Amino acid sequence: MYSDKVMDHFTNPRNVGEINNADAVGQVGNAKCGDIMKMYLKIEDDVIVDVRFKTFGCGSAIATSSMATELIKGKTVKEALNLTNKAVAEALDGLPPVKMHCSVLAEQAVKAAIYEYAKENDLYFEELEGFDPDDDHDHHDDIQEEY
Amino acid sequence: MKKVYMDYAATTPVKKEVLDEMMPYYTTHFGNPSSIHSFGRETRKAVDQARDRIAKTLGTKSDEIFFTGGGTESDNWAIKGVAYALKNKGNHIITTKVEHHAVLHTCQHLEKEGFEVTYLEVDEYGLINLEDLKKAIKDETILITIMYANNEIGTVQPIKEIGKIAKDNKIIFHSDAVQAYGSFPINVDELGLDLVSISAHKIYGPKGIGALYARRGTKIFPMIHGGAQERRRRAGTENIAGIVGFGKAAELANENIEAHNKKIITLRDQLINTLMEKIPYSKLNGHPTKRLPGNANISFEFIEGEALLLSLDMVGIAGSSGSACTSGSLDPSHVLMAIGLSHEIAHGSLRLTVGDFTTTEEVDYVIEQLPKIVDRLRQMSPLYEGVKGGNNNV
């Protein structure tokens, strides 16, 4: 049911762990739904120089977290904010429809971390307009209409 | 790669001696048992023999056994069949919150048709309370349907006591015994059962064949209309090879149940005890002793079941989980919710079921692999931060 790429990122996840002196930490999801993603960012001169994650969740939750970290590492903060869940899913050669919400969570985890970073450093990003990291809305529902 | 099958509750392989008996009924003995000629008579005889064999295992008569397309059909038929037959007498059905979906969804369907259903609560082990059952009974109650043993957590209900309560109140008692059949000797008279659902593929028989035991005189509507097969109660040309295989499998499963269980229970307990000891923050789901001989169901905190299953599969181990992510639904298993587990603990459940071909070496292999897998996933889990090194089982 999963692509080889998903299985690869699940088996050998990239950038797992924590960053002790992270410039930003974001966490999304909840245990009730069965998935939580925590994203740690190290940012220097507006560039994400290091990124780590921790995820409680299914195989695709772990794989999407891993892929999201790969996609934003070395990118500018603004570039990272433009990461979409579709891009994460596509980079993994697709996800089963019922697992698309995991890619949404990955996108939100990146945004949540940068949201914290912006708050700390008094920065404004239009991409974060209307974004609420504590929004406990059911991310599963977002995707229902897509299949 | 080593392959270890620990999902016997999902399905079992067909035993060779079962398949050997089935094979001629696909090729040389192919007649339609409804036909009058020798070809038909030959398969008619085979169906009769299989029916006799199954009747014997339930301590009953052959004309009370009706072949169906499997456990789900038997459950549907028993419940809808009684509901429709007795709807002028009453519209109330009693069941539990931990039934298989074949029962739950059938009851929910009947609710839409105007029937009233009471879903009994269970305790932390998955057992119903007999007083709750007594209190739920009313004049309109026409059916009590309670599973013999739970497919997920293995808990065995007090069937004999339930049977007595049903009898005292003159209410029909149906039990989904799909998981229990072959693991416990079932005598329908001693247990007070009026309807029993059983299935072949859980006892080393083929898939797509099951049966419903229906006590003589039990009012039940036919669900599939057509020819006169199964004494006009379940039309359609019989699945002869399947029926023959079911008969053989039933006979094998009910030989020496006790000695057989002893072996399976030893393997199960070795699995449960060692895993619980080796893996901190783990919890056994279901009753410690009143459980199916082959069922181990353990929740591992801080991790999610599907990730666990995928990891196990990569080292060749086949198990199952009550996590939402394995079912495509958003909530974890209704059974794990009913026994009061929190969502996060329910998400981390793993069911391993051992069976006739399980070896001590296989159990050892799982015991060697699983702790490493749980640890790897916990190291990745944000929920595990700050609790590392703990060793108190919850």
Side-chain angles (χ1 to χ4, degrees):
Chain A
M1 97 188 225
Y2 286 133
S3 69
D4 290 345
K5 256 207 175 124
V6 172
M7 286 311 291
D8 175 35
H9 276 262
F10 168 65
T11 321
N12 307 296
R14 283 47 151 189
N15 308 310
V16 183
E18 298 159 41
I19 299 174
N20 285 332
N21 53 347
D23 295 299
V25 182
Q27 180 172 315
V28 291
N30 61 60
K32 194 167 177 278
C33 290
D35 32 34
I36 296 174
M37 283 182 199
K38 198 167 179 180
M39 202 71 78
Y40 298 80
L41 303 179
K42 189 82 197 139
I43 301 168
E44 279 170 20
D45 297 331
D46 202 36
V47 172
I48 297 168
V49 292
D50 198 8
V51 48
R52 302 277 153 171
F53 80 91
K54 285 234 175 145
T55 291
F56 160 79
C58 60
S60 63
I62 290 167
T64 53
S65 316
S66 166
M67 181 51 88
T69 62
E70 280 220 312
L71 291 173
I72 62 165
K73 200 169 178 177
K75 300 278 165 65
T76 64
V77 172
K78 209 169 165 62
E79 282 168 335
L81 280 173
N82 285 314
L83 177 76
T84 64
N85 79 295
K86 282 208 171 71
V88 175
E90 273 164 25
L92 287 166
D93 292 338
L95 288 169
V98 292
K99 298 292 186 181
M100 280 303 284
H101 71 268
C102 293
S103 63
V104 175
L105 211 57
E107 177 195 317
Q108 287 178 335
V110 172
K111 287 207 165 81
I114 298 174
Y115 180 89
E116 288 306 310
Y117 174 71
K119 220 166 67 180
E120 290 274 311
N121 298 282
D122 218 10
L123 300 167
Y124 171 79
F125 296 103
E126 59 175 343
E127 289 85 353
L128 287 171
E129 201 62 46
F131 177 78
D132 179 3
D134 299 322
D135 187 4
D136 219 12
H137 73 281
D138 194 342
H139 53 270
H140 294 268
D141 288 342
D142 294 357
I143 228 70
Q144 295 292 329
E145 57 206 314
E146 291 193 10
Y147 62 96
Chain B
M1 184 180 58
K2 203 179 174 85
K3 277 202 159 195
V4 174
Y5 186 75
M6 290 224 177
D7 206 8
Y8 282 83
T11 194
T12 60
V14 175
K15 281 188 176 165
K16 188 174 181 304
E17 46 274 59
V18 172
L19 185 65
D20 287 347
E21 284 207 17
M22 291 169 66
M23 288 310 279
Y25 292 92
Y26 283 116
T27 50
T28 48
H29 311 330
F30 62 88
N32 188 323
S34 297
S35 303
I36 201 159
H37 46 62
S38 64
F39 295 87
R41 290 198 306 274
E42 191 172 38
T43 48
R44 164 61 52 206
K45 222 175 103 186
V47 171
D48 289 346
Q49 193 203 14
R51 204 187 306 278
D52 290 345
R53 280 170 158 177
I54 290 168
K56 215 172 140 195
T57 64
L58 294 169
T60 184
K61 293 164 207 76
S62 299
D63 63 0
E64 296 177 302
I65 303 296
F66 300 91
F67 289 111
T68 66
T72 293
E73 186 190 322
S74 298
D75 285 340
N76 268 264
W77 184 18
I79 297 165
K80 290 181 205 163
V82 169
Y84 296 152
L86 298 183
K87 66 178 176 199
N88 292 325
K89 190 173 171 256
N91 71 337
H92 181 232
I93 295 166
I94 300 172
T95 186
T96 78
K97 288 195 166 172
V98 294
E99 297 300 308
H100 189 275
H101 282 139
V103 169
L104 278 185
H105 290 166
T106 302
C107 287
Q108 284 160 11
H109 170 76
L110 287 174
E111 281 182 291
K112 285 186 200 138
E113 293 188 5
F115 288 89
E116 189 199 336
V117 182
T118 300
Y119 300 91
L120 298 174
E121 304 268 351
V122 294
D123 67 12
E124 59 180 310
Y125 300 117
L127 285 170
I128 65 150
N129 181 323
L130 293 170
E131 291 308 311
D132 289 351
L133 171 63
K134 284 183 200 162
K135 273 181 235 158
I137 293 171
K138 45 187 177 181
D139 292 345
E140 296 79 29
T141 309
I142 50 173
L143 176 70
I144 294 171
T145 171
I146 293 176
M147 70 198 326
Y148 199 118
N150 189 271
N151 49 307
E152 289 185 42
I153 57 172
T155 300
V156 180
Q157 299 294 348
I159 294 299
K160 196 172 178 177
E161 289 77 4
I162 299 168
K164 187 172 182 308
I165 293 169
K167 201 168 188 182
D168 289 347
N169 290 278
K170 296 191 176 64
I171 298 166
I172 294 174
F173 177 28
H174 166 249
S175 186
D176 172 352
V178 168
Q179 291 289 335
Y181 186 58
S183 288
F184 301 103
I186 299 176
N187 182 299
V188 291
D189 290 336
E190 280 173 22
L191 297 172
L193 288 158
D194 299 307
L195 296 160
V196 181
S197 302
I198 54 176
S199 175
H201 78 103
K202 309 286 191 189
I203 57 162
Y204 311 93
K207 290 161 184 67
I209 183 78
L212 181 67
Y213 156 78
R215 182 178 294 281
R216 267 184 210 166
T218 306
K219 288 210 164 48
I220 176 165
F221 258 34
M223 282 295 122
I224 296 177
H225 299 93
Q229 292 89 356
E230 300 302 291
R231 297 174 50 239
R232 294 185 190 282
R233 281 168 177 81
R234 203 279 189 180
T237 298
E238 296 87 341
N239 171 3
I240 304 299
I243 288 171
V244 168
F246 192 8
K248 180 66 179 173
E251 195 177 77
L252 289 175
N254 284 279
E255 277 170 7
N256 259 324
I257 282 190
E258 239 166 80
H260 174 254
N261 277 358
K262 219 171 151 184
K263 184 197 149 205
I264 304 275
I265 288 172
T266 307
L267 292 169
R268 176 199 74 190
D269 287 349
Q270 191 192 345
L271 199 58
I272 292 175
N273 297 338
T274 320
L275 288 176
M276 298 281 292
E277 191 190 299
K278 279 191 151 189
I279 305 175
Y281 303 105
S282 53
K283 178 191 180 300
L284 177 70
N285 296 317
H287 197 280
T289 53
K290 291 173 192 164
R291 71 187 298 133
L292 285 167
N295 176 294
N297 188 315
I298 304 176
S299 280
F300 302 104
E301 269 196 86
F302 319 119
I303 59 172
E304 192 279 330
E306 193 230 42
L308 196 52
L309 292 186
L310 284 175
S311 306
L312 283 168
D313 187 47
M314 282 189 294
V315 294
I317 300 166
S320 112
S321 169
S323 160
C325 289
T326 59
S327 65
S329 74
L330 305 185
D331 285 317
S333 123
H334 64 283
V335 176
L336 300 178
M337 293 285 94
I339 61 171
L341 295 194
S342 67
H343 276 78
E344 43 269 60
I345 309 264
H347 279 300
S349 79
L350 174 69
R351 182 188 72 178
L352 297 172
T353 42
V354 296
D356 283 7
F357 301 107
T358 307
T359 62
T360 315
E361 290 71 36
E362 288 181 331
V363 169
D364 288 343
Y365 180 66
V366 172
I367 287 168
E368 178 203 323
Q369 295 292 329
L370 190 54
K372 290 190 276 187
I373 290 169
V374 170
D375 190 55
R376 184 182 94 91
L377 293 172
R378 280 181 176 170
Q379 294 305 331
M380 266 193 251
S381 170
L383 296 176
Y384 194 49
E385 288 168 18
V387 291
K388 286 170 207 172
N391 196 28
N392 51 323
N393 289 356
V394 284

